[in-house]
Amino acid sequence: MNSYFISFEGPDGSGKSTVLEQVVAQITPLLKTQYLVTREPGGSIIAEKIRQLILDPTNEKMGAKTEALLYAAARSQHMSETVIPALKAGKVIFSDRFVDSSLAYQGAGRDLGIDAVKQINNFATSGIEPNLTLFLDVKPEVGLARIERARAGQEDRLEQEKLAFHQKVYEGYLEINRKHPERIAIVDGDRPGNRVVEDCVNIIKKRIPKDLLKD
Ligand code: TYD
C-alpha cells in the first residue's frame, strides 16, 4: 500500500511544532488515507521516557556519544512501534524531527561527525528515510531570541546551549540540505506563520502521490 512520510526539521525556535500543527489541519482533510502525527525524540511510550532522560537539564554530565546513542535508541523504538506499522498500513506520516536532527545536533553541533552519526542511525532505522523533509530556515540567533522570550528560564538541556552550538547545528543543516536537494525542501521560516504554513501546504500538495488525495 502507498504511504508517504514527511518530516519537519529546523533549529530550535524555528516555530516548527506550531507550523506542523497548522499544516496537518490543512492537509489531512484532503487525504483519502489515514494519517499519523508523531514526534522525535518520542512517539512511543519507551521513546518518550528516553526523551525525558535526554532533555533533563540536571543531566549535565551526559556525554556527546551517549546523547547520540540515546536519540538513536529512542528513534529505533519509534520506528518499530509507531512509524513502520503506519508505513505498512499506507498512512501519511507527519513527524516533528527525524534523523536529520541527529546529524545536525549531534553530528555537527556536538562535533561527532555527520557520517558517524548517520551510521548509528542507519542501524536504528534500517535505512528508512522520509519521502519529503520540510526544513524551516530560521537563523540561530533569531530562533534563540524567540525561545528566550517564550520559555524564559524553562529551556531544556539542548536549548540551554550557547549560540556557538546552535550556529554549528545550523551549518550542519545547511550541509545536509545541500546533499539531499531532492528530499529536502527549504522554507523561509523568518516570516509570519501563515505564510510559512501556506508554503509548506503547497509543497506537500505538489509532491504527495495523487492517489493519496481525494478526487
Ligand atoms: P523538540 O521537542 O523538537 O524541540 P523544539 O520543539 O524546541 O524544536 O526537540 C527537542 C530537542 O532535541 C531540540 O533541541 C532538538 C534536539 N534533538 C537532537 O539534538 N537530536 C535529535 O535527533 C532530535 C530528534 C532532537
Side-chain angles (χ1 to χ4, degrees):
M1 232 188 290
N2 245 336
S3 59
Y4 200 70
F5 181 9
I6 306 167
S7 65
F8 289 71
E9 293 285 351
D12 285 282
S14 57
K16 179 177 50 56
S17 307
T18 316
V19 167
L20 187 151
E21 199 178 303
Q22 292 175 18
V23 169
V24 166
Q26 292 192 32
I27 290 288
T28 53
L30 311 176
L31 296 176
K32 222 189 250 172
T33 51
Q34 290 186 307
Y35 66 92
L36 167 78
V37 183
T38 188
R39 70 163 180 184
E40 288 203 340
S44 84
I45 291 173
I46 294 169
E48 290 287 340
K49 285 185 184 168
I50 301 174
R51 176 190 176 93
Q52 286 170 16
L53 186 67
I54 305 174
L55 297 181
D56 184 346
T58 64
N59 283 336
E60 288 162 11
K61 285 190 179 158
M62 187 178 292
K65 287 185 178 172
T66 308
E67 183 182 284
L69 288 164
L70 284 173
Y71 276 115
R75 181 162 297 125
S76 168
Q77 190 64 31
H78 181 221
M79 290 306 286
S80 61
E81 229 184 301
T82 310
V83 175
I84 291 174
L87 289 171
K88 285 192 176 148
K91 293 185 185 176
V92 174
I93 300 168
F94 301 85
S95 184
D96 189 341
R97 298 193 181 281
F98 197 61
V99 173
D100 294 334
S101 285
S102 280
L103 305 184
Y105 281 79
Q106 283 66 53
R110 299 289 193 215
D111 291 317
L112 292 176
I114 289 179
D115 289 340
V117 176
K118 181 127 190 73
Q119 275 188 24
I120 58 168
N121 277 282
N122 279 344
F123 180 64
T125 62
S126 311
I128 293 173
E129 286 188 354
N131 299 101
L132 170 65
T133 298
L134 295 165
F135 174 71
L136 302 195
D137 192 354
V138 171
K139 300 261 178 313
E141 50 278 11
V142 175
L144 283 187
R146 283 185 184 169
I147 286 172
E148 274 162 25
R149 275 200 304 277
R151 307 247 218 281
Q154 302 285 307
E155 292 98 342
D156 68 40
R157 202 172 55 80
L158 276 280
E159 288 169 349
Q160 281 176 358
E161 286 290 337
K162 299 281 166 279
L163 183 60
F165 170 78
H166 290 283
Q167 239 136 16
K168 283 198 273 183
V169 171
Y170 184 71
E171 295 297 323
Y173 268 127
L174 298 187
E175 189 179 330
I176 300 157
N177 294 347
R178 277 195 297 273
K179 280 188 189 151
H180 301 282
E182 67 302 328
R183 171 172 62 85
I184 305 175
I186 300 167
V187 177
D188 179 0
D190 197 3
R191 292 177 302 159
N194 57 342
R195 299 285 310 282
V196 181
V197 171
E198 193 185 332
D199 278 8
C200 293
V201 166
N202 286 334
I203 292 167
I204 296 173
K205 278 192 199 160
K206 207 187 288 171
R207 303 263 298 249
I208 196 167
K210 296 292 163 278
D211 60 341
L212 294 175
L213 296 176
K214 287 179 187 159
D215 299 324

